[in-house]
Amino acid sequence: MKTACYAILFVVLTGGIVSAEEKNAPITYPGTLEGKSVHGYDQYAFEADGIRGLIVAPKQVAADRPWIWRARFWGHEPQLETALLARGWHVVYVDVEALFGGPEAVARWDTGYKLMSGSVGLSKKPVLEGMSRGGLIIYNWAARNPEKVGAIYGDAPVCDFKSWPGGKGKGPGNQTWWQDCLRMYGLTEEEGLRYDKNPIDNLRPLADAGVPIIHVVGAADQAVPVEENTAILKDRYEKLGGKIEVISKPGVGHHPHSLKDPAPILDFFDRFRKK
């Protein structure tokens, strides 16, 4: 383990106050400092309380100890994360591969949150980042813990498992993964088709908590069609009074993810940090 001490102010990522004790507490990274760096930053690999994960630490921690919690596809299109590391953010990953955002994935994230906001000492309100199928876990966990979420960033996110991997709309889906997904939720095929707790169905807790949302999508996405996922979520969230922005990339499919220049996403975070 490696400990680094930093003084922090009283402003937390998107609201909330830290105590005098917390502001002077050291950051203790769990696990092992790996013998490699990620874009010039230290990476720690850890196993604790039945979960596995990674933490990348900035060279100088920002005053409010912000962090972005990446759901899936660690290291893919990392330009947002590297920009945030340069600003003093931590980047965190807790493995929920092949769980499709189901109950086991949510339980693992409960454990991960307790670790990061507790003994590690990061902000109580991380930003959640979900690429593609990562949309399922970020929204499912956030809906159960809206008071613990600073913002949501979805990148071509799955917002309804009937769309993907189900393939029950315009997209092809994946029937092997659809059966795996149903097993993760303990559902039959018929129950899966009637399931009403997908991200598009479970937005009121986030709207009531005022969680800001930004999505980046490819307008020509055939794997995770926008009209079955982000478009429905945006319409419903706005009707609930929620704040959501969508950046659409004309002519782009499911790939490439993110933006070459992540400035619009960073600007979105900055606007809500100032409130």
Side-chain angles (χ1 to χ4, degrees):
M1 294 190 182
K2 180 181 178 181
T3 302
C5 300
Y6 301 91
I8 67 174
L9 303 176
F10 287 98
V11 183
V12 173
L13 177 57
T14 51
I17 301 298
V18 297
S19 68
E21 180 179 346
E22 288 173 321
K23 75 173 183 174
N24 293 313
I27 293 180
T28 301
Y29 297 109
T32 303
L33 176 61
E34 297 187 322
K36 63 179 180 179
S37 65
V38 177
H39 305 291
Y41 297 92
D42 289 341
Q43 176 173 294
Y44 298 80
F46 67 89
E47 294 187 22
D49 300 323
I51 64 171
R52 296 185 296 116
L54 300 165
I55 304 172
V56 181
K59 297 182 187 303
Q60 183 172 354
V61 179
D64 46 3
R65 297 186 177 188
W67 51 297
I68 188 164
W69 196 349
R70 179 131 184 190
R72 292 284 277 107
F73 307 111
W74 179 254
H76 181 63
E77 298 287 351
Q79 46 269 37
L80 174 63
E81 283 89 348
T82 55
L84 291 172
L85 284 162
R87 293 181 170 204
W89 291 49
H90 286 78
V91 181
V92 175
Y93 172 81
V94 171
D95 181 25
V96 291
E97 186 175 357
L99 298 178
F100 299 94
E104 174 61 24
V106 172
R108 290 188 191 182
W109 268 39
D110 286 340
T111 301
Y113 177 82
K114 291 176 183 176
L115 178 64
M116 295 303 141
S117 66
S119 60
V120 177
L122 302 185
S123 167
K124 299 292 192 292
K125 289 192 173 185
V127 170
L128 311 185
E129 176 187 5
M131 282 187 178
S132 192
R133 70 191 73 177
L136 292 171
I137 178 57
I138 63 171
Y139 275 104
N140 289 346
W141 189 83
R144 291 163 176 77
N145 300 277
E147 75 286 353
K148 299 173 183 174
V149 180
I152 287 176
Y153 161 46
D155 196 299
V158 175
C159 304
D160 183 350
F161 63 39
K162 294 188 296 295
S163 175
W164 189 96
K168 305 306 179 182
K170 294 179 62 176
N174 183 301
Q175 289 310 299
T176 297
W177 284 340
W178 171 235
Q179 295 305 314
D180 290 343
C181 177
L182 291 174
R183 283 194 292 273
M184 290 301 104
Y185 285 80
L187 302 172
T188 65
E189 176 92 14
E190 294 74 18
E191 290 169 338
L193 296 176
R194 296 196 304 269
Y195 188 72
D196 62 355
K197 292 296 182 182
N198 270 287
I200 59 170
D201 307 310
N202 203 17
L203 296 167
R204 181 168 292 281
L206 303 179
D208 288 348
V211 176
I213 297 172
I214 185 169
H215 281 193
V216 174
V217 299
D221 192 336
Q222 296 181 12
V224 183
V226 175
E227 58 267 40
E228 297 173 9
N229 293 274
T230 289
I232 295 173
L233 188 143
K234 181 177 185 294
D235 178 66
R236 293 181 179 179
Y237 202 57
E238 288 179 336
K239 286 179 178 177
L240 290 169
K243 172 64 177 177
I244 180 170
E245 295 184 16
V246 176
I247 298 173
S248 182
K249 299 177 289 188
V252 175
H254 192 61
H255 294 279
H257 286 289
S258 192
L259 301 172
K260 289 184 179 179
D261 180 358
I265 307 170
L266 296 170
D267 290 344
F268 179 85
F269 295 163
D270 286 344
R271 275 182 274 134
F272 285 98
R273 292 189 74 193
K274 293 175 182 177
K275 288 190 176 183

